[in-house]
PDB file of all heavy atoms in Angstrom:
ATOM      1  N   TRP A   1       4.117  12.787   6.415  1.00 98.00           N
ATOM      2  CA  TRP A   1       2.975  12.032   5.922  1.00 98.00           C
ATOM      3  C   TRP A   1       3.319  11.366   4.602  1.00 98.00           C
ATOM      4  O   TRP A   1       4.196  11.838   3.868  1.00 98.00           O
ATOM      5  CB  TRP A   1       1.772  12.945   5.715  1.00 98.00           C
ATOM      6  CG  TRP A   1       1.135  13.424   6.993  1.00 98.00           C
ATOM      7  CD1 TRP A   1       1.593  14.420   7.817  1.00 98.00           C
ATOM      8  CD2 TRP A   1      -0.058  12.931   7.597  1.00 98.00           C
ATOM      9  NE1 TRP A   1       0.756  14.572   8.889  1.00 98.00           N
ATOM     10  CE2 TRP A   1      -0.282  13.680   8.785  1.00 98.00           C
ATOM     11  CE3 TRP A   1      -0.981  11.940   7.248  1.00 98.00           C
ATOM     12  CZ2 TRP A   1      -1.370  13.451   9.619  1.00 98.00           C
ATOM     13  CZ3 TRP A   1      -2.068  11.715   8.074  1.00 98.00           C
ATOM     14  CH2 TRP A   1      -2.257  12.470   9.245  1.00 98.00           C
ATOM     15  N   VAL A   2       2.631  10.254   4.314  1.00 98.00           N
ATOM     16  CA  VAL A   2       2.810   9.547   3.043  1.00 98.00           C
ATOM     17  C   VAL A   2       1.461   9.419   2.350  1.00 98.00           C
ATOM     18  O   VAL A   2       0.463   9.017   2.967  1.00 98.00           O
ATOM     19  CB  VAL A   2       3.412   8.146   3.257  1.00 98.00           C
ATOM     20  CG1 VAL A   2       3.489   7.394   1.924  1.00 98.00           C
ATOM     21  CG2 VAL A   2       4.799   8.242   3.883  1.00 98.00           C
ATOM     22  N   LEU A   3       1.435   9.765   1.073  1.00 98.00           N
ATOM     23  CA  LEU A   3       0.263   9.600   0.236  1.00 98.00           C
ATOM     24  C   LEU A   3       0.604   8.616  -0.877  1.00 98.00           C
ATOM     25  O   LEU A   3       1.547   8.833  -1.633  1.00 98.00           O
ATOM     26  CB  LEU A   3      -0.151  10.948  -0.373  1.00 98.00           C
ATOM     27  CG  LEU A   3      -1.232  10.932  -1.460  1.00 98.00           C
ATOM     28  CD1 LEU A   3      -2.539  10.347  -0.940  1.00 98.00           C
ATOM     29  CD2 LEU A   3      -1.451  12.340  -2.019  1.00 98.00           C
ATOM     30  N   ILE A   4      -0.140   7.511  -0.940  1.00 97.00           N
ATOM     31  CA  ILE A   4       0.061   6.511  -1.982  1.00 97.00           C
ATOM     32  C   ILE A   4      -0.857   6.832  -3.164  1.00 97.00           C
ATOM     33  O   ILE A   4      -2.069   6.960  -3.000  1.00 97.00           O
ATOM     34  CB  ILE A   4      -0.265   5.094  -1.475  1.00 97.00           C
ATOM     35  CG1 ILE A   4       0.567   4.748  -0.227  1.00 97.00           C
ATOM     36  CG2 ILE A   4      -0.035   4.061  -2.579  1.00 97.00           C
ATOM     37  CD1 ILE A   4       2.033   4.589  -0.487  1.00 97.00           C
ATOM     38  N   LEU A   5      -0.267   6.954  -4.339  1.00 97.00           N
ATOM     39  CA  LEU A   5      -1.065   7.215  -5.543  1.00 97.00           C
ATOM     40  C   LEU A   5      -0.736   6.208  -6.629  1.00 97.00           C
ATOM     41  O   LEU A   5       0.397   5.735  -6.738  1.00 97.00           O
ATOM     42  CB  LEU A   5      -0.786   8.620  -6.085  1.00 97.00           C
ATOM     43  CG  LEU A   5      -1.344   9.831  -5.336  1.00 97.00           C
ATOM     44  CD1 LEU A   5      -0.993  11.092  -6.085  1.00 97.00           C
ATOM     45  CD2 LEU A   5      -2.847   9.719  -5.142  1.00 97.00           C
ATOM     46  N   ASP A   6      -1.752   5.894  -7.435  1.00 93.00           N
ATOM     47  CA  ASP A   6      -1.518   5.164  -8.676  1.00 93.00           C
ATOM     48  C   ASP A   6      -1.314   6.191  -9.782  1.00 93.00           C
ATOM     49  O   ASP A   6      -1.783   7.335  -9.686  1.00 93.00           O
ATOM     50  CB  ASP A   6      -2.696   4.263  -9.007  1.00 93.00           C
ATOM     51  CG  ASP A   6      -2.799   3.095  -8.037  1.00 93.00           C
ATOM     52  OD1 ASP A   6      -1.742   2.634  -7.561  1.00 93.00           O
ATOM     53  OD2 ASP A   6      -3.923   2.644  -7.755  1.00 93.00           O
ATOM     54  N   ALA A   7      -0.650   5.770 -10.842  1.00 93.00           N
ATOM     55  CA  ALA A   7      -0.317   6.716 -11.920  1.00 93.00           C
ATOM     56  C   ALA A   7      -1.543   7.245 -12.646  1.00 93.00           C
ATOM     57  O   ALA A   7      -1.482   8.286 -13.296  1.00 93.00           O
ATOM     58  CB  ALA A   7       0.632   6.047 -12.915  1.00 93.00           C
ATOM     59  N   ASP A   8      -2.676   6.549 -12.531  1.00 90.00           N
ATOM     60  CA  ASP A   8      -3.888   7.004 -13.216  1.00 90.00           C
ATOM     61  C   ASP A   8      -4.862   7.705 -12.272  1.00 90.00           C
ATOM     62  O   ASP A   8      -6.054   7.810 -12.565  1.00 90.00           O
ATOM     63  CB  ASP A   8      -4.584   5.841 -13.915  1.00 90.00           C
ATOM     64  CG  ASP A   8      -5.006   4.739 -12.951  1.00 90.00           C
ATOM     65  OD1 ASP A   8      -4.599   4.788 -11.779  1.00 90.00           O
ATOM     66  OD2 ASP A   8      -5.737   3.824 -13.377  1.00 90.00           O
ATOM     67  N   VAL A   9      -4.339   8.201 -11.150  1.00 93.00           N
ATOM     68  CA  VAL A   9      -5.167   8.943 -10.187  1.00 93.00           C
ATOM     69  C   VAL A   9      -4.753  10.412 -10.187  1.00 93.00           C
ATOM     70  O   VAL A   9      -3.566  10.730 -10.123  1.00 93.00           O
ATOM     71  CB  VAL A   9      -5.026   8.356  -8.762  1.00 93.00           C
ATOM     72  CG1 VAL A   9      -5.717   9.254  -7.745  1.00 93.00           C
ATOM     73  CG2 VAL A   9      -5.631   6.965  -8.718  1.00 93.00           C
ATOM     74  N   LEU A  10      -5.732  11.295 -10.253  1.00 93.00           N
ATOM     75  CA  LEU A  10      -5.483  12.732 -10.211  1.00 93.00           C
ATOM     76  C   LEU A  10      -5.984  13.300  -8.890  1.00 93.00           C
ATOM     77  O   LEU A  10      -7.029  12.887  -8.386  1.00 93.00           O
ATOM     78  CB  LEU A  10      -6.187  13.435 -11.371  1.00 93.00           C
ATOM     79  CG  LEU A  10      -5.799  13.006 -12.783  1.00 93.00           C
ATOM     80  CD1 LEU A  10      -6.584  13.828 -13.803  1.00 93.00           C
ATOM     81  CD2 LEU A  10      -4.309  13.170 -13.017  1.00 93.00           C
ATOM     82  N   VAL A  11      -5.238  14.270  -8.347  1.00 96.00           N
ATOM     83  CA  VAL A  11      -5.650  14.967  -7.129  1.00 96.00           C
ATOM     84  C   VAL A  11      -6.161  16.348  -7.528  1.00 96.00           C
ATOM     85  O   VAL A  11      -5.373  17.248  -7.816  1.00 96.00           O
ATOM     86  CB  VAL A  11      -4.480  15.109  -6.131  1.00 96.00           C
ATOM     87  CG1 VAL A  11      -4.962  15.781  -4.852  1.00 96.00           C
ATOM     88  CG2 VAL A  11      -3.882  13.739  -5.817  1.00 96.00           C
ATOM     89  N   PRO A  12      -7.475  16.545  -7.573  1.00 95.00           N
ATOM     90  CA  PRO A  12      -8.024  17.855  -7.933  1.00 95.00           C
ATOM     91  C   PRO A  12      -7.626  18.930  -6.926  1.00 95.00           C
ATOM     92  O   PRO A  12      -7.232  18.620  -5.790  1.00 95.00           O
ATOM     93  CB  PRO A  12      -9.544  17.622  -7.915  1.00 95.00           C
ATOM     94  CG  PRO A  12      -9.715  16.147  -8.000  1.00 95.00           C
ATOM     95  CD  PRO A  12      -8.530  15.556  -7.322  1.00 95.00           C
ATOM     96  N   LYS A  13      -7.748  20.180  -7.322  1.00 97.00           N
ATOM     97  CA  LYS A  13      -7.314  21.288  -6.463  1.00 97.00           C
ATOM     98  C   LYS A  13      -8.021  21.308  -5.120  1.00 97.00           C
ATOM     99  O   LYS A  13      -7.400  21.566  -4.081  1.00 97.00           O
ATOM    100  CB  LYS A  13      -7.533  22.618  -7.190  1.00 97.00           C
ATOM    101  CG  LYS A  13      -6.597  22.826  -8.373  1.00 97.00           C
ATOM    102  CD  LYS A  13      -6.841  24.172  -9.041  1.00 97.00           C
ATOM    103  CE  LYS A  13      -5.892  24.380 -10.212  1.00 97.00           C
ATOM    104  NZ  LYS A  13      -6.129  25.695 -10.891  1.00 97.00           N
ATOM    105  N   GLU A  14      -9.344  21.046  -5.113  1.00 97.00           N
ATOM    106  CA  GLU A  14     -10.077  21.088  -3.846  1.00 97.00           C
ATOM    107  C   GLU A  14      -9.635  19.959  -2.913  1.00 97.00           C
ATOM    108  O   GLU A  14      -9.569  20.135  -1.692  1.00 97.00           O
ATOM    109  CB  GLU A  14     -11.590  21.018  -4.092  1.00 97.00           C
ATOM    110  CG  GLU A  14     -12.095  19.755  -4.768  1.00 97.00           C
ATOM    111  CD  GLU A  14     -12.090  19.815  -6.274  1.00 97.00           C
ATOM    112  OE1 GLU A  14     -11.412  20.715  -6.824  1.00 97.00           O
ATOM    113  OE2 GLU A  14     -12.755  18.968  -6.896  1.00 97.00           O
ATOM    114  N   ALA A  15      -9.300  18.785  -3.484  1.00 97.00           N
ATOM    115  CA  ALA A  15      -8.800  17.673  -2.673  1.00 97.00           C
ATOM    116  C   ALA A  15      -7.398  17.981  -2.151  1.00 97.00           C
ATOM    117  O   ALA A  15      -7.065  17.669  -1.007  1.00 97.00           O
ATOM    118  CB  ALA A  15      -8.799  16.383  -3.477  1.00 97.00           C
ATOM    119  N   ALA A  16      -6.565  18.592  -2.994  1.00 98.00           N
ATOM    120  CA  ALA A  16      -5.213  18.969  -2.585  1.00 98.00           C
ATOM    121  C   ALA A  16      -5.259  19.961  -1.423  1.00 98.00           C
ATOM    122  O   ALA A  16      -4.508  19.832  -0.443  1.00 98.00           O
ATOM    123  CB  ALA A  16      -4.459  19.576  -3.763  1.00 98.00           C
ATOM    124  N   LYS A  17      -6.142  20.933  -1.511  1.00 98.00           N
ATOM    125  CA  LYS A  17      -6.283  21.935  -0.450  1.00 98.00           C
ATOM    126  C   LYS A  17      -6.728  21.278   0.855  1.00 98.00           C
ATOM    127  O   LYS A  17      -6.196  21.575   1.937  1.00 98.00           O
ATOM    128  CB  LYS A  17      -7.295  22.998  -0.871  1.00 98.00           C
ATOM    129  CG  LYS A  17      -7.467  24.147   0.123  1.00 98.00           C
ATOM    130  CD  LYS A  17      -8.392  25.214  -0.457  1.00 98.00           C
ATOM    131  CE  LYS A  17      -8.531  26.413   0.475  1.00 98.00           C
ATOM    132  NZ  LYS A  17      -9.238  26.084   1.725  1.00 98.00           N
ATOM    133  N   GLU A  18      -7.672  20.357   0.756  1.00 98.00           N
ATOM    134  CA  GLU A  18      -8.164  19.673   1.949  1.00 98.00           C
ATOM    135  C   GLU A  18      -7.074  18.830   2.598  1.00 98.00           C
ATOM    136  O   GLU A  18      -6.908  18.836   3.823  1.00 98.00           O
ATOM    137  CB  GLU A  18      -9.359  18.791   1.599  1.00 98.00           C
ATOM    138  CG  GLU A  18      -9.981  18.118   2.813  1.00 98.00           C
ATOM    139  CD  GLU A  18     -11.131  17.200   2.458  1.00 98.00           C
ATOM    140  OE1 GLU A  18     -11.210  16.752   1.286  1.00 98.00           O
ATOM    141  OE2 GLU A  18     -11.944  16.918   3.352  1.00 98.00           O
ATOM    142  N   ILE A  19      -6.317  18.112   1.787  1.00 98.00           N
ATOM    143  CA  ILE A  19      -5.222  17.293   2.310  1.00 98.00           C
ATOM    144  C   ILE A  19      -4.205  18.161   3.043  1.00 98.00           C
ATOM    145  O   ILE A  19      -3.782  17.850   4.159  1.00 98.00           O
ATOM    146  CB  ILE A  19      -4.542  16.509   1.176  1.00 98.00           C
ATOM    147  CG1 ILE A  19      -5.477  15.416   0.649  1.00 98.00           C
ATOM    148  CG2 ILE A  19      -3.230  15.890   1.648  1.00 98.00           C
ATOM    149  CD1 ILE A  19      -4.989  14.738  -0.614  1.00 98.00           C
ATOM    150  N   GLN A  20      -3.813  19.274   2.424  1.00 97.00           N
ATOM    151  CA  GLN A  20      -2.825  20.161   3.038  1.00 97.00           C
ATOM    152  C   GLN A  20      -3.318  20.725   4.367  1.00 97.00           C
ATOM    153  O   GLN A  20      -2.534  20.893   5.314  1.00 97.00           O
ATOM    154  CB  GLN A  20      -2.487  21.295   2.068  1.00 97.00           C
ATOM    155  CG  GLN A  20      -1.735  20.821   0.832  1.00 97.00           C
ATOM    156  CD  GLN A  20      -1.542  21.926  -0.184  1.00 97.00           C
ATOM    157  OE1 GLN A  20      -0.659  22.771  -0.040  1.00 97.00           O
ATOM    158  NE2 GLN A  20      -2.366  21.948  -1.218  1.00 97.00           N
ATOM    159  N   GLU A  21      -4.591  21.013   4.446  1.00 97.00           N
ATOM    160  CA  GLU A  21      -5.146  21.560   5.685  1.00 97.00           C
ATOM    161  C   GLU A  21      -5.255  20.497   6.770  1.00 97.00           C
ATOM    162  O   GLU A  21      -4.906  20.738   7.925  1.00 97.00           O
ATOM    163  CB  GLU A  21      -6.524  22.161   5.405  1.00 97.00           C
ATOM    164  CG  GLU A  21      -6.485  23.438   4.564  1.00 97.00           C
ATOM    165  CD  GLU A  21      -7.879  23.930   4.199  1.00 97.00           C
ATOM    166  OE1 GLU A  21      -8.857  23.180   4.430  1.00 97.00           O
ATOM    167  OE2 GLU A  21      -7.986  25.055   3.666  1.00 97.00           O
ATOM    168  N   GLN A  22      -5.712  19.316   6.395  1.00 97.00           N
ATOM    169  CA  GLN A  22      -5.984  18.282   7.399  1.00 97.00           C
ATOM    170  C   GLN A  22      -4.723  17.707   8.027  1.00 97.00           C
ATOM    171  O   GLN A  22      -4.719  17.356   9.207  1.00 97.00           O
ATOM    172  CB  GLN A  22      -6.817  17.154   6.772  1.00 97.00           C
ATOM    173  CG  GLN A  22      -8.247  17.548   6.433  1.00 97.00           C
ATOM    174  CD  GLN A  22      -9.045  17.967   7.660  1.00 97.00           C
ATOM    175  OE1 GLN A  22      -8.902  17.404   8.743  1.00 97.00           O
ATOM    176  NE2 GLN A  22      -9.887  18.976   7.495  1.00 97.00           N
ATOM    177  N   ILE A  23      -3.635  17.605   7.263  1.00 97.00           N
ATOM    178  CA  ILE A  23      -2.421  17.019   7.838  1.00 97.00           C
ATOM    179  C   ILE A  23      -1.733  17.961   8.829  1.00 97.00           C
ATOM    180  O   ILE A  23      -0.835  17.534   9.562  1.00 97.00           O
ATOM    181  CB  ILE A  23      -1.418  16.574   6.750  1.00 97.00           C
ATOM    182  CG1 ILE A  23      -0.879  17.775   5.973  1.00 97.00           C
ATOM    183  CG2 ILE A  23      -2.043  15.545   5.830  1.00 97.00           C
ATOM    184  CD1 ILE A  23       0.248  17.416   5.007  1.00 97.00           C
ATOM    185  N   GLN A  24      -2.152  19.223   8.848  1.00 97.00           N
ATOM    186  CA  GLN A  24      -1.575  20.161   9.815  1.00 97.00           C
ATOM    187  C   GLN A  24      -2.196  20.006  11.200  1.00 97.00           C
ATOM    188  O   GLN A  24      -1.706  20.560  12.174  1.00 97.00           O
ATOM    189  CB  GLN A  24      -1.745  21.605   9.332  1.00 97.00           C
ATOM    190  CG  GLN A  24      -1.106  21.900   7.991  1.00 97.00           C
ATOM    191  CD  GLN A  24       0.365  21.509   7.910  1.00 97.00           C
ATOM    192  OE1 GLN A  24       1.118  21.700   8.864  1.00 97.00           O
ATOM    193  NE2 GLN A  24       0.777  20.942   6.785  1.00 97.00           N
ATOM    194  N   LYS A  25      -3.272  19.246  11.283  1.00 94.00           N
ATOM    195  CA  LYS A  25      -3.940  19.027  12.560  1.00 94.00           C
ATOM    196  C   LYS A  25      -3.314  17.834  13.283  1.00 94.00           C
ATOM    197  O   LYS A  25      -2.658  16.998  12.677  1.00 94.00           O
ATOM    198  CB  LYS A  25      -5.433  18.802  12.339  1.00 94.00           C
ATOM    199  CG  LYS A  25      -6.107  19.984  11.639  1.00 94.00           C
ATOM    200  CD  LYS A  25      -7.571  19.713  11.363  1.00 94.00           C
ATOM    201  CE  LYS A  25      -8.220  20.884  10.647  1.00 94.00           C
ATOM    202  NZ  LYS A  25      -9.657  20.646  10.335  1.00 94.00           N
ATOM    203  N   ASP A  26      -3.536  17.746  14.588  1.00 92.00           N
ATOM    204  CA  ASP A  26      -2.897  16.706  15.390  1.00 92.00           C
ATOM    205  C   ASP A  26      -3.818  15.541  15.744  1.00 92.00           C
ATOM    206  O   ASP A  26      -3.403  14.627  16.465  1.00 92.00           O
ATOM    207  CB  ASP A  26      -2.364  17.305  16.702  1.00 92.00           C
ATOM    208  CG  ASP A  26      -1.290  18.356  16.459  1.00 92.00           C
ATOM    209  OD1 ASP A  26      -0.538  18.204  15.479  1.00 92.00           O
ATOM    210  OD2 ASP A  26      -1.210  19.309  17.248  1.00 92.00           O
ATOM    211  N   ASP A  27      -5.060  15.551  15.251  1.00 94.00           N
ATOM    212  CA  ASP A  27      -6.037  14.594  15.764  1.00 94.00           C
ATOM    213  C   ASP A  27      -6.157  13.309  14.957  1.00 94.00           C
ATOM    214  O   ASP A  27      -6.830  12.376  15.376  1.00 94.00           O
ATOM    215  CB  ASP A  27      -7.423  15.253  15.858  1.00 94.00           C
ATOM    216  CG  ASP A  27      -7.864  15.848  14.527  1.00 94.00           C
ATOM    217  OD1 ASP A  27      -7.005  16.055  13.651  1.00 94.00           O
ATOM    218  OD2 ASP A  27      -9.077  16.088  14.375  1.00 94.00           O
ATOM    219  N   MET A  28      -5.495  13.200  13.812  1.00 97.00           N
ATOM    220  CA  MET A  28      -5.629  12.016  12.979  1.00 97.00           C
ATOM    221  C   MET A  28      -4.266  11.418  12.623  1.00 97.00           C
ATOM    222  O   MET A  28      -3.279  12.123  12.493  1.00 97.00           O
ATOM    223  CB  MET A  28      -6.390  12.350  11.688  1.00 97.00           C
ATOM    224  CG  MET A  28      -7.847  12.725  11.911  1.00 97.00           C
ATOM    225  SD  MET A  28      -8.799  11.337  12.570  1.00 97.00           S
ATOM    226  CE  MET A  28     -10.332  12.180  13.017  1.00 97.00           C
ATOM    227  N   ASP A  29      -4.266  10.093  12.448  1.00 98.00           N
ATOM    228  CA  ASP A  29      -3.052   9.380  12.047  1.00 98.00           C
ATOM    229  C   ASP A  29      -3.125   8.907  10.598  1.00 98.00           C
ATOM    230  O   ASP A  29      -2.127   8.493  10.021  1.00 98.00           O
ATOM    231  CB  ASP A  29      -2.829   8.161  12.948  1.00 98.00           C
ATOM    232  CG  ASP A  29      -2.674   8.552  14.411  1.00 98.00           C
ATOM    233  OD1 ASP A  29      -1.986   9.552  14.685  1.00 98.00           O
ATOM    234  OD2 ASP A  29      -3.247   7.860  15.275  1.00 98.00           O
ATOM    235  N   GLY A  30      -4.323   8.935  10.044  1.00 98.00           N
ATOM    236  CA  GLY A  30      -4.499   8.504   8.665  1.00 98.00           C
ATOM    237  C   GLY A  30      -5.844   8.951   8.140  1.00 98.00           C
ATOM    238  O   GLY A  30      -6.719   9.366   8.912  1.00 98.00           O
ATOM    239  N   PHE A  31      -6.013   8.848   6.823  1.00 98.00           N
ATOM    240  CA  PHE A  31      -7.265   9.280   6.196  1.00 98.00           C
ATOM    241  C   PHE A  31      -7.668   8.334   5.073  1.00 98.00           C
ATOM    242  O   PHE A  31      -6.839   7.912   4.266  1.00 98.00           O
ATOM    243  CB  PHE A  31      -7.123  10.683   5.605  1.00 98.00           C
ATOM    244  CG  PHE A  31      -7.042  11.777   6.626  1.00 98.00           C
ATOM    245  CD1 PHE A  31      -5.806  12.224   7.073  1.00 98.00           C
ATOM    246  CD2 PHE A  31      -8.198  12.364   7.136  1.00 98.00           C
ATOM    247  CE1 PHE A  31      -5.714  13.240   8.016  1.00 98.00           C
ATOM    248  CE2 PHE A  31      -8.114  13.380   8.079  1.00 98.00           C
ATOM    249  CZ  PHE A  31      -6.874  13.817   8.521  1.00 98.00           C
ATOM    250  N   TYR A  32      -8.967   8.032   5.045  1.00 97.00           N
ATOM    251  CA  TYR A  32      -9.553   7.403   3.876  1.00 97.00           C
ATOM    252  C   TYR A  32      -9.781   8.503   2.840  1.00 97.00           C
ATOM    253  O   TYR A  32     -10.298   9.569   3.167  1.00 97.00           O
ATOM    254  CB  TYR A  32     -10.885   6.742   4.216  1.00 97.00           C
ATOM    255  CG  TYR A  32     -10.752   5.465   5.009  1.00 97.00           C
ATOM    256  CD1 TYR A  32     -10.982   5.447   6.380  1.00 97.00           C
ATOM    257  CD2 TYR A  32     -10.402   4.272   4.372  1.00 97.00           C
ATOM    258  CE1 TYR A  32     -10.859   4.278   7.097  1.00 97.00           C
ATOM    259  CE2 TYR A  32     -10.272   3.100   5.090  1.00 97.00           C
ATOM    260  CZ  TYR A  32     -10.509   3.097   6.449  1.00 97.00           C
ATOM    261  OH  TYR A  32     -10.383   1.935   7.168  1.00 97.00           O
ATOM    262  N   LEU A  33      -9.387   8.222   1.609  1.00 96.00           N
ATOM    263  CA  LEU A  33      -9.569   9.194   0.527  1.00 96.00           C
ATOM    264  C   LEU A  33     -10.648   8.697  -0.427  1.00 96.00           C
ATOM    265  O   LEU A  33     -10.524   7.604  -0.992  1.00 96.00           O
ATOM    266  CB  LEU A  33      -8.257   9.399  -0.229  1.00 96.00           C
ATOM    267  CG  LEU A  33      -7.066   9.875   0.602  1.00 96.00           C
ATOM    268  CD1 LEU A  33      -5.846  10.061  -0.297  1.00 96.00           C
ATOM    269  CD2 LEU A  33      -7.374  11.156   1.341  1.00 96.00           C
ATOM    270  N   PRO A  34     -11.709   9.473  -0.617  1.00 93.00           N
ATOM    271  CA  PRO A  34     -12.728   9.080  -1.596  1.00 93.00           C
ATOM    272  C   PRO A  34     -12.128   9.072  -3.005  1.00 93.00           C
ATOM    273  O   PRO A  34     -11.367   9.964  -3.368  1.00 93.00           O
ATOM    274  CB  PRO A  34     -13.794  10.173  -1.462  1.00 93.00           C
ATOM    275  CG  PRO A  34     -13.527  10.839  -0.149  1.00 93.00           C
ATOM    276  CD  PRO A  34     -12.049  10.740   0.056  1.00 93.00           C
ATOM    277  N   HIS A  35     -12.469   8.043  -3.760  1.00 89.00           N
ATOM    278  CA  HIS A  35     -12.020   7.926  -5.145  1.00 89.00           C
ATOM    279  C   HIS A  35     -13.242   7.875  -6.051  1.00 89.00           C
ATOM    280  O   HIS A  35     -14.078   6.972  -5.909  1.00 89.00           O
ATOM    281  CB  HIS A  35     -11.182   6.667  -5.348  1.00 89.00           C
ATOM    282  CG  HIS A  35      -9.820   6.730  -4.726  1.00 89.00           C
ATOM    283  ND1 HIS A  35      -9.626   6.832  -3.369  1.00 89.00           N
ATOM    284  CD2 HIS A  35      -8.584   6.711  -5.288  1.00 89.00           C
ATOM    285  CE1 HIS A  35      -8.320   6.859  -3.120  1.00 89.00           C
ATOM    286  NE2 HIS A  35      -7.683   6.800  -4.265  1.00 89.00           N
ATOM    287  N   LYS A  36     -13.346   8.806  -6.949  1.00 84.00           N
ATOM    288  CA  LYS A  36     -14.447   8.837  -7.917  1.00 84.00           C
ATOM    289  C   LYS A  36     -13.912   8.333  -9.252  1.00 84.00           C
ATOM    290  O   LYS A  36     -12.927   8.851  -9.771  1.00 84.00           O
ATOM    291  CB  LYS A  36     -14.994  10.251  -8.071  1.00 84.00           C
ATOM    292  CG  LYS A  36     -16.257  10.342  -8.920  1.00 84.00           C
ATOM    293  CD  LYS A  36     -16.764  11.774  -8.950  1.00 84.00           C
ATOM    294  CE  LYS A  36     -18.072  11.872  -9.712  1.00 84.00           C
ATOM    295  NZ  LYS A  36     -19.173  11.186  -9.023  1.00 84.00           N
ATOM    296  N   THR A  37     -14.557   7.313  -9.779  1.00 78.00           N
ATOM    297  CA  THR A  37     -14.055   6.656 -10.975  1.00 78.00           C
ATOM    298  C   THR A  37     -14.350   7.448 -12.245  1.00 78.00           C
ATOM    299  O   THR A  37     -15.472   7.903 -12.448  1.00 78.00           O
ATOM    300  CB  THR A  37     -14.666   5.250 -11.113  1.00 78.00           C
ATOM    301  OG1 THR A  37     -14.427   4.522  -9.912  1.00 78.00           O
ATOM    302  CG2 THR A  37     -14.049   4.504 -12.285  1.00 78.00           C
ATOM    303  N   PHE A  38     -13.311   7.582 -13.073  1.00 69.00           N
ATOM    304  CA  PHE A  38     -13.450   8.196 -14.400  1.00 69.00           C
ATOM    305  C   PHE A  38     -13.066   7.145 -15.443  1.00 69.00           C
ATOM    306  O   PHE A  38     -11.999   6.533 -15.354  1.00 69.00           O
ATOM    307  CB  PHE A  38     -12.530   9.406 -14.539  1.00 69.00           C
ATOM    308  CG  PHE A  38     -13.066  10.657 -13.911  1.00 69.00           C
ATOM    309  CD1 PHE A  38     -13.265  10.741 -12.540  1.00 69.00           C
ATOM    310  CD2 PHE A  38     -13.379  11.758 -14.686  1.00 69.00           C
ATOM    311  CE1 PHE A  38     -13.762  11.892 -11.955  1.00 69.00           C
ATOM    312  CE2 PHE A  38     -13.877  12.918 -14.109  1.00 69.00           C
ATOM    313  CZ  PHE A  38     -14.074  12.987 -12.746  1.00 69.00           C
TER     314      PHE A  38
END
């Protein structure tokens, strides 16, 4: 899998856990990631 990040984007622990869990499944080829502006 490939995750594109900008240098000013942080991946919180709960988002990291969700990403790790979801990519282990076989039903998706990609994901929209919610971005909350700071």
Side-chain angles (χ1 to χ4, degrees):
W1 288 78
V2 176
L3 170 60
I4 304 292
L5 287 182
D6 290 328
D8 60 350
V9 172
L10 300 181
V11 183
K13 291 181 179 179
E14 62 272 16
K17 183 174 183 293
E18 184 182 22
I19 290 171
Q20 292 174 79
E21 290 175 350
Q22 290 299 323
I23 66 173
Q24 301 307 320
K25 301 177 181 179
D26 297 327
D27 55 342
M28 293 295 169
D29 300 318
F31 288 93
Y32 286 102
L33 302 181
H35 288 64
K36 188 177 184 67
T37 306
F38 280 64

